[in-house]
Amino acid sequence: MSSASQRLWRAYADGRRLIAGPGGVRAARRRAGANGDRTDLTSWNRQLAAQHASYRASVEPAAGPTTAVCVKSRPEQLDHLVKSIGRQDYDDFNVVVVTNAESFSGVDVAGAFDAVGGAHVIDGPPDQSLGSCLNAAMAATDARFVAKFDDDDHYGAAYLSDSLRAHSYAASGVVGKHSYYAHLTADDRTVLRFPGHDFEYSSTLAGGTLVIDRERVGDLQFRDVSLGEDRGFILDCHKRGASTFAADRFNFVQHRGSDNTWRVPDHLFTRNSLEIADGLPLSSILR
């Protein structure tokens, strides 16, 4: 790990100590409350932003062909997906999209991506599982790195390049996020899930953040299921001896609405999370 990576890791470790201090997450919530601009937690966030800039300047993304893959069944999210991929500040990648809804036209999907360099579109049957669709996308590219994008989540410009930076020193089969932001549309608020799990080897990674190194996972495929395919892939990585690594929590916000495949009550979804803000403060998250 480079010296910049080590400094950033120590900065995140400071946050873990803050969150795990007296009172744990509950106390951290209070510290980030009405007087949040004067809290230790906010000071740590400011320090972290400065450390992150130094880290980006000194750690190059891992080299190798990269493909962004997405499975789409919601036509209304197409523009959102195109913008998420189009804003990436990492230029050396291509795009594979698998559609598995009768309402989609592969020609229309391909045309929507013309503005951001184009995409290879695969028309899949509506009853095909998410895992099977992801395998079809991976079979359509020989890229070393495969980055999974969900069509309704929010991805910042440095999402892909920062994930590949983590790949450059983690030597892991998969890089993703354990700590991550989520926007709950029902009451329009943003939380930080699993706070304090940044820059560490982890078996828990958000499904919308997986960036896979196929030189390390080999011919491993997703399981033929539509729920839990990400957790299954991580488990199968470990069975092959490939580690999985959690990078920073920035540049990704999970969309949490009534249309999510994984249905769980919000009070359970947000258990042990940090309340960040009312609304969706993208400018402070998508750095």
Side-chain angles (χ1 to χ4, degrees), residues 252-267:
F252 173 78
V253 183
Q254 183 185 75
H255 165 84
R256 185 70 191 168
S258 59
D259 54 345
N260 283 96
T261 304
W262 181 44
R263 298 183 183 278
V264 63
D266 283 352
H267 73 278

Side-chain angles (χ1 to χ4, degrees), residues 18-52:
L18 274 174
I19 293 168
V25 169
R26 187 172 299 174
R29 280 202 190 100
R30 290 196 297 270
R31 289 197 296 272
N35 296 319
D37 61 340
R38 295 190 293 276
T39 64
D40 290 340
L41 194 60
T42 300
S43 297
W44 167 69
N45 270 307
R46 290 171 179 160
Q47 174 198 7
L48 193 59
Q51 294 282 8
H52 217 109

Side-chain angles (χ1 to χ4, degrees), residues 201-218:
Y201 291 92
S202 174
S203 60
T204 299
L205 300 175
T209 69
L210 306 187
V211 181
I212 302 163
D213 182 350
R214 296 204 292 184
E215 284 192 3
R216 298 190 181 278
V217 305

Side-chain angles (χ1 to χ4, degrees), residues 27-263:
R29 280 202 190 100
R30 290 196 297 270
R31 289 197 296 272
N35 296 319
D37 61 340
R38 295 190 293 276
T39 64
D40 290 340
L41 194 60
T42 300
S43 297
W44 167 69
N45 270 307
R46 290 171 179 160
Q47 174 198 7
L48 193 59
Q51 294 282 8
H52 217 109
S54 172
Y55 161 74
R56 283 179 177 150
S58 58
V59 178
E60 290 294 321
T66 303
T67 295
V69 304
C70 181
V71 176
K72 280 201 56 59
S73 60
R74 292 171 288 197
E76 68 276 11
Q77 294 294 343
L78 179 58
D79 288 345
H80 181 81
L81 175 64
V82 171
K83 290 176 182 177
S84 291
I85 291 177
R87 72 168 60 98
Q88 297 304 305
D89 62 11
Y90 186 78
D91 297 327
D92 187 19
F93 73 99
N94 57 20
V95 182
V96 175
V97 179
V98 179
T99 65
N100 66 336
E102 293 178 348
S103 54
F104 265 121
S105 161
V107 173
D108 292 343
V109 174
F113 277 92
D114 284 345
V116 295
H120 175 59
V121 180
I122 302 169
D123 289 320
D127 58 351
Q128 191 172 12
S129 71
L130 176 55
S132 180
C133 288
L134 287 168
N135 291 334
M138 293 177 70
T141 176
D142 58 2
R144 173 181 176 180
F145 296 103
V146 174
K148 182 173 175 283
F149 278 72
D150 284 353
D151 61 5
D152 55 350
D153 294 333
H154 302 271
Y155 297 85
Y159 165 76
L160 185 53
S161 57
D162 274 357
S163 297
L164 292 171
R165 283 186 176 89
H167 264 299
S168 71
Y169 56 77
S172 289
V174 184
V175 163
K177 298 183 186 296
H178 187 162
S179 297
Y180 65 92
Y181 294 95
H183 177 237
L184 286 73
T185 60
D187 49 6
D188 191 22
R189 60 191 174 106
T190 299
V191 301
L192 176 63
R193 300 195 76 206
F194 311 115
H197 292 283
D198 310 86
F199 278 80
E200 63 182 21
Y201 291 92
S202 174
S203 60
T204 299
L205 300 175
T209 69
L210 306 187
V211 181
I212 302 163
D213 182 350
R214 296 204 292 184
E215 284 192 3
R216 298 190 181 278
V217 305
D219 60 355
L220 185 65
Q221 293 193 320
F222 286 89
R223 299 179 184 183
D224 187 11
V225 295
S226 292
L227 186 62
E229 78 292 336
D230 48 351
R231 294 190 297 275
F233 190 87
I234 290 171
L235 177 61
D236 292 340
C237 279
H238 295 164
K239 290 179 179 178
R240 289 197 173 195
S243 64
T244 52
F245 185 79
D248 65 274
R249 68 180 188 270
F250 293 112
N251 280 295
F252 173 78
V253 183
Q254 183 185 75
H255 165 84
R256 185 70 191 168
S258 59
D259 54 345
N260 283 96
T261 304
W262 181 44
R263 298 183 183 278

Side-chain angles (χ1 to χ4, degrees), residues 1-9 55 59 169-170 199 201 245:
M1 185 179 289
S2 71
S3 59
S5 303
Q6 290 173 337
R7 288 194 299 272
L8 185 60
W9 184 90
Y55 161 74
V59 178
Y169 56 77
F199 278 80
Y201 291 92
F245 185 79

